[in-house]
Amino acid sequence: MSMSNTIRAGAAIAPAILLAACAGETVWPPSPWPTGSVTAAAETVPVGTANADAADDPAIWRNPADPAKSVLLGTDKKAGLYSYRLDGTVIDFVPAGLLNNVDLVSLAGGTVLVAASDRTDAATPAIAFFTLASDGQLTQGPRLEVGSGGSGEAYGFCMAEADAAGQLARAYVVTKQGPVIEAVIGGTAQAPTILSTRRFAIPSQSEGCVVDGRTDMLYVGEETVGIHRFDLSQASPAGELVSRADGTALVPDVEGLAIAPVGSDGGYLIASSQGDNAYAAFALPTMAYAGRVRIVDGGGIDGTVETDGIEFAAGSFGPGFPDGIFVAQDGDNGPDADGNATQNFKLVRGDALLAALRGE
């Protein structure tokens, strides 16, 4: 890549960017690159665990029969899984324990399979399964281990549609130590099984991941390094570092990842640039830098800071979200009526977010 506004995987980190913190941790100043702003159209009721880093990752199910009645899922990583209406009110909550990241796939016949990384056992990665009804009700399914003891804690998580007969879906568990485990899911939505697994190497702690189903590419965020891409069509995919977190477009930690699709392979990969409370976008499939944006205060809803998980879904979601929807975890939603610190999820019009990214 030779464009001057492209983040190069091999680019050196400018010494002026790094500041030494008293505890030895790298502290990054705000990115020097222009950053647009957008406001949220809605926000969810905070997750139930207060005074803690609790809300983490969202997923969106688009109701094909009535898009305005689509459902947002969000994890409380200390307690379980929520489903929300698009106005942010709670539909259901399953007290399923230590769930970190969540994703879903729609199966033939209309069944929605939901799964999340389960952190109950810090040594053995596992997936917690659910099904989602069209009214937003969740039904808890089994918890299945996807690695032997010592494989590492299940941390990040994303899913992709099945690529062969006899499969329900493919799941990707990003262990806290780095390696990614692909689990091919079989059986039924109510009684899933693990058909096979394979592992991909990541050097250090990673979390955010997303599969671009159009190209069968897996993107994984290595928190202090950048974004890796794996070609899932290969028998033994080797990761390629396609965007370095060097404090310009992308400021560590690299957290949630989401695809905003356009056409057969275009659109954007959006990443949570947690180190400066922003979101960076890269054009697909080249991964050329495309823009940055922040969610700021406005319309009676506060902006977002220290975002972990994000999600983007294309299409109409009714009059409130006529052209896509973007959801971001907010690490500081302010105090509740009792003075307890809270976290929640912010919902942004997809068209507004993309316009702000492009500086329009």
Side-chain angles (χ1 to χ4, degrees):
M1 301 177 188
S2 59
M3 297 176 59
S4 61
N5 64 344
T6 298
I7 299 300
R8 298 183 300 278
I13 299 175
I17 295 294
L18 300 177
L19 300 175
C22 59
E25 179 183 355
T26 299
V27 175
W28 297 81
S31 170
W33 289 15
T35 303
S37 62
V38 68
T39 58
E43 64 179 332
T44 68
V45 173
V47 300
T49 303
N51 300 316
D53 180 21
D56 197 280
D57 189 55
I60 304 167
W61 174 68
R62 184 177 182 274
N63 185 331
D66 189 348
K69 293 183 179 179
S70 297
V71 178
L72 169 65
L73 302 179
T75 58
D76 178 336
K77 61 187 176 186
K78 310 294 185 184
L81 182 64
Y82 284 89
S83 63
Y84 301 94
R85 301 173 184 87
L86 296 187
D87 65 1
T89 56
V90 174
I91 301 172
D92 196 11
F93 173 72
V94 178
L98 307 182
L99 306 183
N100 207 55
N101 288 14
V102 63
D103 206 352
L104 58 86
V105 293
S106 294
L107 306 177
T111 301
V112 182
L113 178 67
V114 176
S117 51
D118 188 311
R119 302 174 66 183
T120 303
D121 185 342
T124 306
I127 303 172
F129 289 92
F130 309 81
T131 55
L132 175 69
S134 61
D135 63 358
Q137 295 296 314
L138 290 159
T139 299
Q140 189 169 4
R143 175 186 182 275
L144 301 180
E145 295 182 352
V146 294
S148 59
S151 296
E153 178 183 346
Y155 204 48
F157 185 79
C158 54
M159 297 181 78
E161 293 182 351
D163 64 353
Q167 301 177 5
L168 288 183
R170 292 168 289 160
Y172 297 86
V173 178
V174 182
T175 64
K176 193 168 187 178
Q177 289 75 6
V180 181
I181 302 172
E182 177 192 68
V184 177
I185 310 301
T188 67
Q190 293 74 28
T193 61
I194 306 296
L195 298 179
S196 63
T197 62
R198 58 177 178 166
R199 298 169 66 95
F200 314 140
I202 295 281
S204 68
Q205 181 170 313
S206 306
E207 182 177 2
C209 73
V210 66
V211 176
D212 188 342
R214 303 166 303 167
T215 58
D216 215 21
M217 293 289 183
L218 168 68
Y219 295 86
V220 181
E222 186 180 6
E223 292 188 354
T224 62
V225 176
I227 301 170
H228 298 260
R229 179 168 61 193
F230 295 84
D231 184 348
L232 296 174
S233 68
Q234 298 178 354
S236 299
E240 173 191 10
L241 185 61
V242 292
S243 181
R244 183 174 292 278
D246 65 356
T248 53
L250 192 56
V251 181
D253 283 350
V254 181
E255 291 288 342
L257 301 178
I259 300 287
V262 176
S264 61
D265 65 354
Y268 304 96
L269 175 73
I270 304 172
S272 171
S273 178
Q274 191 184 71
D276 73 334
N277 303 321
Y279 311 92
F282 303 89
L284 295 170
T286 65
M287 285 295 289
Y289 171 71
R292 312 178 82 251
V293 67
R294 290 189 178 93
I295 301 174
V296 299
D297 297 354
I301 300 176
D302 63 310
T304 57
V305 297
E306 298 183 355
T307 292
D308 286 333
I310 61 175
E311 183 66 289
F312 188 100
S316 171
F317 287 80
F321 301 93
D323 190 11
I325 184 170
F326 178 74
V327 182
Q329 181 260 8
D330 182 11
D332 182 2
N333 185 54
D336 62 15
D338 297 319
N340 297 308
T342 65
Q343 295 186 340
N344 71 346
F345 301 92
K346 301 299 196 282
L347 292 77
V348 178
R349 282 180 51 150
D351 53 350
L353 180 96
L354 297 182
L357 279 170
R358 295 188 291 253
E360 299 172 0

